[in-house]
Amino acid sequence: LVNRGAERWDWDSFFVFSKGVFDRRPIVPVLGNHEYQSADPILYLAQFALLRNGPKTIPPERAYAFEYSNAKFIILDSNLDAAKQTAWLEKELANTKAMWKFVSYHHPAYSSGGNRDNVDVRKLWTPIFDKFHVDLALQYAKAVVAKKIPACKWVRLACKRHVTDLAKAKTKAFAYRFD
């Protein structure tokens, strides 16, 4: 959300420059590494009144979940140990009847830069996403490419490349390895 999570002026700038957006629309924040600038996201937690229904194995307000209409939203903290959130994530997805399931977290399971991959997220969370048919980038990308979801030319091209790369990743000729 901000570049310097331990500095008040950065949070003030975030909200000042978001006037007209966040004062009229809900924000569902996700912790990133910049919010942990001072080892604990103190100012992040001070800015938001978040649900405290996340896993008991991590501090409150780091991960949380809610339903809105026919959608389930799950927010995870990929700065913390993924294993400590995995059982809770699976339980949340198993117990929802929502048609749409959205999960958000900061660090990518797969990255175009090999040193930016999050192996724990990929090994622990992505099988759960698949098991419970979470509607994330992969399904979104396929729907955009199939023109089921309207998108501009550049979003369609990015989604097409993503889907193509995922298909190529299953072959030995693919230049990158994710494990």
Side-chain angles (χ1 to χ4, degrees):
L1 295 172
V2 296
N3 192 40
R4 300 184 181 278
E7 297 182 26
R8 179 59 195 224
W9 67 267
D10 210 352
W11 286 103
D12 291 344
S13 295
F14 174 76
F15 287 107
V16 166
F17 292 116
S18 301
K19 189 175 182 181
V21 178
F22 297 144
D23 56 350
R24 291 184 172 82
R25 290 169 184 83
I27 179 173
V28 180
V30 178
L31 275 161
N33 53 301
H34 290 259
E35 286 74 39
Y36 274 94
Q37 182 186 20
S38 64
D40 200 31
I42 296 166
L43 289 178
Y44 168 90
L45 296 170
Q47 304 307 310
F48 305 104
L50 301 172
L51 295 167
R52 300 172 67 88
N53 63 350
K56 304 291 185 226
T57 52
I58 64 171
E61 299 183 277
R62 279 19 179 236
Y64 56 96
F66 64 94
E67 290 195 10
Y68 179 79
S69 188
N70 202 14
K72 176 77 172 190
F73 295 87
I74 299 174
I75 308 305
L76 299 166
D77 187 347
S78 59
N79 297 282
L80 301 177
D81 186 354
K84 291 183 177 183
Q85 300 168 77
T86 302
W88 175 81
L89 168 64
E90 187 157 16
K91 183 179 175 188
E92 286 292 316
L93 289 168
N95 291 331
T96 186
K97 296 203 185 303
M99 176 183 215
W100 303 102
K101 299 169 196 93
F102 303 99
V103 179
S104 187
Y105 54 94
H106 182 71
H107 299 90
Y110 300 96
S111 172
S112 58
N115 64 339
R116 309 230 5 131
D117 277 2
N118 189 319
V119 176
D120 288 340
V121 166
R122 184 171 59 252
K123 288 184 177 178
L124 295 172
W125 294 350
T126 59
I128 296 169
F129 299 161
D130 291 340
K131 178 180 177 181
F132 292 100
H133 308 287
V134 170
D135 302 288
L136 280 175
L138 178 59
Q139 291 180 9
Y140 171 80
K142 285 184 176 180
V144 167
V145 171
K147 297 184 179 176
K148 293 178 181 176
I149 296 174
C152 73
K153 171 184 174 183
W154 305 113
V155 171
R156 277 195 314 276
L157 288 172
C159 289
K160 184 175 181 180
R161 179 173 178 189
H162 175 68
V163 170
T164 302
D165 284 349
L166 287 173
K168 286 181 183 177
K170 296 176 184 175
T171 68
K172 289 184 180 185
F174 191 62
Y176 304 101
R177 290 287 158 230
F178 299 118
D179 299 310

